[in-house]
Amino acid sequence: MNNPGPSTYMGFEIHPLVFLRRAPALGKPKTMVRSFDAAVRICRPGEESGSPLSRVFHIERKLPFEDTGDARRAADSFGESIIDGKEAGLSVKDL
């Protein structure tokens, strides 16, 4: 999936990660609808994925996103919320 470049917020880079949701394990739906999940990678500017100064957070949702635009906006917003300390148990203070 093609993911656009990062945005910056409060000294961090926010990389939205959007990907196709896997089909249900049991049975196949009658009509295969494309749906998406999202995560966000937060890092210090210029850090590579997998660096100790980079962390990925998955957006936990029961229902998938219907399009990549919604998923990307949600990932950006989720990343900002993590950086602001508004997501319980999720932090980037040590990056």
Side-chain angles (χ1 to χ4, degrees), residues 46-91:
E47 290 297 322
E48 295 294 322
S49 180
S51 160
L53 298 177
S54 173
R55 191 164 297 137
V56 174
F57 301 92
H58 183 71
I59 299 176
E60 300 294 333
R61 286 174 52 110
K62 289 183 181 182
L63 297 175
F65 295 99
E66 292 184 14
D67 62 60
T68 59
D70 287 345
R72 184 178 179 1
R73 285 185 291 278
D76 278 330
S77 178
F78 187 53
E80 290 178 5
S81 221
I82 292 168
I83 292 166
D84 288 340
K86 295 179 181 176
E87 298 294 328
L90 304 179
S91 176

Side-chain angles (χ1 to χ4, degrees), residues 23-24 26-33:
L26 300 173
K28 293 183 178 180
K30 290 182 180 180
T31 56
M32 189 61 160
V33 176

